[in-house]
Amino acid sequence: MSSRKSLGIAVALFVVVSIVASACQAGTPTRAPATAVPTAVPTAVPTAAPTEIQAPTIPNCGTEPIVLNAYFETGFPVPKQLAEEFSRQFPNVKWDIKEDQFTNLINATPRLLSGDNPPDLIRLPTMVSFAKEGLLMNLDGYAAAFGWDQWPVPQLNQNRVAPDGTRGSGSLYGMGLNYSLTGVFYNKELAAQIGMTEPPKTLAEFDELLARAKAAGLLPIMMWGSAKSGMGLAFPLQHLMAAYGPVEPINDWIFQKPGATIDTPSNLKAAQHLQKWIENGYFPPDINAIEYTDANARFTQGEGVFMFNGDWQNGAYDAAMPGNIGFFLFPPAEAGAPPAAMSAPLTFGIAARAKHPDCAAFFFNWVATDPTARQINVTGFGSHPGGPADLPLPTVPPGSVTNETLAAGAVVGKAGTTMDFIANATSSIFAQGWTPELQKMVAGQQDAAGLLKAVQAEYERELVMER
């Protein structure tokens, strides 16, 4: 997420479908044209007997040696674990994996996609400009070949780009390795010390818990804020936005719908609420210097009652704090209103000029349908593996926080209150907008109104550049 992820989702809205998944077949994978949709499924042609039809060829990795060129995000081991398992099942496929911070990928992705050795697989911080510039493979042909179009609609929609540059519809340019959910994790022992017997049902109740933690000499909320990782305060800010207002305008802004703005009255209330938390000392005083991995390490060592994060961290939390970590959806401002959450795919794409696009697409399909791959996703990330609706969820250890996040995903899925991450609105909005402006707010150099106006101005500047 990077920031997680640039962040957020489609966890519980699933329809029943069936899919034909192929094992790696003989033959060298075909090279899909850089500017055209991959023609993965040829039209059936008659064989010797007029009534016989030649079976379509499913894209695969063949049997000849292949090295997949991949760029992953630093701090997330599960993609590498999936790559290792893939090579165990298909020994002809090896990997050349490079890793970088999420914010660095934002700046490096255009160069990587247009370079002499473009990646077969790359973690995508954003995709609209890359799709419009022809740097990303159009995956519509693969969606037809593998049957992805028959999967639950929300799984693919966030990775679609329309001809006008808006997201949420149009051609497919990315796939999720899993589908994550964000909310509030808490240290059960510390929460008990401040009298928390159940998760808060309203924002006011959560505020009361934060005040109790501060009064007890505990750090209320552990978060990160270093520019290297991207400012983590975007997580609580977006949850506050959804607590004060509906999620639809937030998604419209992220998907670049015409006329969308982040500078709204309800978002101003949210930003003012976050500013109050900062002024009350609810975050670490050195937050602007804390990287994502350091924040998680400090949280699991007992620093911080609460932490805003995503279910991709479940495995690490359960390993470090077995039985002592819980999760709840951020509560609404008004009692009885449905909670909301960021819920988005961990998006990867294929470069338009990738050397092995068929094998990369086969990997996408394998991640979502292979039982071992799905188990790796749930055990390591704690996220929903997606895929066909009729596939059972992998087993979850009793008492693990993953049980809580999966149940929470069903709640927001049914309510229809999921959002993508505000860091994903444009290619540089996280690095050039949210991160520096939130860092200024921490330093007392920016207020809530100025934050939203500055980010909206950066958003509009980038829209002009991207279009």
Side-chain angles (χ1 to χ4, degrees):
M1 150 172 287
S2 66
S3 322
R4 304 267 141 340
K5 323 201 352 358
S6 273
L7 323 132
I9 325 55
V11 177
L13 308 177
F14 293 99
V15 294
V16 178
V17 344
S18 62
I19 184 168
V20 177
S22 169
C24 281
Q25 303 172 8
T28 303
T30 56
R31 169 79 178 275
T35 58
V37 175
T39 55
V41 182
T43 304
V45 295
T47 57
T51 57
E52 295 180 2
I53 302 296
Q54 180 178 338
T57 299
I58 303 297
N60 59 81
C61 296
T63 57
E64 296 298 320
I66 284 178
V67 176
L68 287 178
N69 179 20
Y71 277 82
F72 292 168
E73 182 180 355
T74 301
F76 294 86
V78 169
K80 290 184 72 173
Q81 294 171 10
L82 289 168
E84 291 168 0
E85 175 61 25
F86 190 73
S87 290
R88 277 192 285 269
Q89 295 189 25
F90 308 108
N92 65 303
V93 181
K94 307 300 180 186
W95 295 79
D96 179 9
I97 297 174
K98 303 173 186 65
E99 295 181 282
D100 209 339
Q101 297 274 5
F102 185 80
T103 51
N104 291 339
L105 280 172
I106 291 175
N107 297 320
T109 298
R111 172 180 56 80
L112 296 173
L113 292 175
S114 61
D116 295 334
N117 186 30
D120 299 299
L121 286 165
I122 185 169
R123 170 74 168 103
L124 290 176
T126 58
M127 68 171 59
V128 172
S129 60
F130 308 140
K132 293 186 68 175
E133 293 169 9
L135 297 176
L136 283 176
M137 179 76 68
N138 184 318
L139 304 182
D140 286 347
Y142 291 126
F146 289 111
W148 300 339
D149 287 338
Q150 303 304 312
W151 294 2
V153 171
Q155 285 191 45
L156 275 64
N157 274 6
Q158 293 190 49
N159 289 328
R160 294 187 182 279
V161 180
D164 63 358
T166 59
R167 285 176 54 212
S169 63
S171 290
L172 186 69
Y173 286 95
M175 285 291 287
L177 293 194
N178 53 52
Y179 300 82
S180 59
L181 181 80
T182 64
V184 186
F185 292 87
Y186 64 97
N187 183 314
K188 292 182 179 179
E189 292 181 0
L190 297 183
Q193 290 181 29
I194 61 173
M196 176 177 161
T197 58
E198 62 179 2
K201 295 182 175 60
T202 64
L203 177 56
E205 291 181 7
F206 187 59
D207 278 335
E208 175 61 24
L209 292 171
L210 296 178
R212 288 185 202 170
K214 183 69 174 179
L218 301 173
L219 176 67
I221 308 174
M222 170 54 69
M223 291 300 293
W224 66 95
S226 167
K228 293 181 179 180
S229 298
M231 170 51 88
L233 289 186
F235 275 54
L237 175 59
Q238 185 167 349
H239 282 94
L240 285 164
M241 289 177 177
Y244 277 110
V247 300
E248 290 80 10
I250 301 172
N251 278 327
D252 286 347
W253 186 79
I254 297 167
F255 292 165
Q256 301 182 6
K257 296 298 177 64
T261 179
I262 201 68
D263 189 8
T264 66
S266 63
N267 288 347
L268 177 59
K269 291 181 181 179
Q272 289 170 336
H273 206 118
L274 179 68
Q275 186 175 357
K276 184 185 298 183
W277 284 356
I278 293 171
E279 293 169 349
N280 289 346
Y282 289 166
F283 300 104
D286 59 339
I287 183 173
N288 280 354
I290 301 175
E291 294 190 33
Y292 177 76
T293 53
D294 294 330
N296 283 298
R298 288 167 64 168
F299 181 63
T300 57
Q301 291 165 8
E303 188 177 353
V305 181
F306 303 102
M307 184 167 182
F308 288 79
N309 214 336
D311 56 10
W312 55 81
Q313 203 64 35
N314 284 359
Y317 284 165
D318 276 330
M321 305 171 66
N324 190 35
I325 191 159
F327 174 89
F328 58 84
L329 294 167
F330 190 72
E334 296 183 6
M342 289 180 280
S343 178
L346 182 69
T347 301
F348 279 72
I350 302 173
R353 295 187 298 108
K355 294 179 181 178
H356 307 295
D358 284 9
C359 189
F362 181 83
F363 174 75
F364 284 152
N365 192 72
W366 172 86
V367 166
T369 59
D370 179 80
T372 302
R374 289 169 64 84
Q375 186 68 62
I376 290 172
N377 246 324
V378 170
T379 301
F381 258 131
S383 301
H384 200 292
D390 58 349
L391 289 182
L393 278 175
T395 58
V396 179
S400 70
V401 71
T402 299
N403 283 297
E404 298 181 41
T405 58
L406 290 177
V411 172
V412 292
K414 183 177 181 180
T417 52
T418 59
M419 308 168 283
D420 199 346
F421 185 29
I422 53 175
N424 295 338
T426 64
S427 60
S428 299
I429 198 66
F430 196 33
Q432 302 300 325
W434 291 118
T435 293
E437 297 304 325
L438 285 167
Q439 286 181 328
K440 291 177 186 177
M441 179 178 281
V442 169
Q445 301 170 358
Q446 181 61 284
D447 62 13
L451 166 76
L452 296 178
K453 293 184 184 304
V455 171
Q456 181 64 24
E458 174 62 23
Y459 174 84
E460 292 173 3
R461 184 189 71 82
E462 293 185 25
L463 288 186
V464 171
M465 295 180 62
E466 292 183 0
R467 294 177 179 175

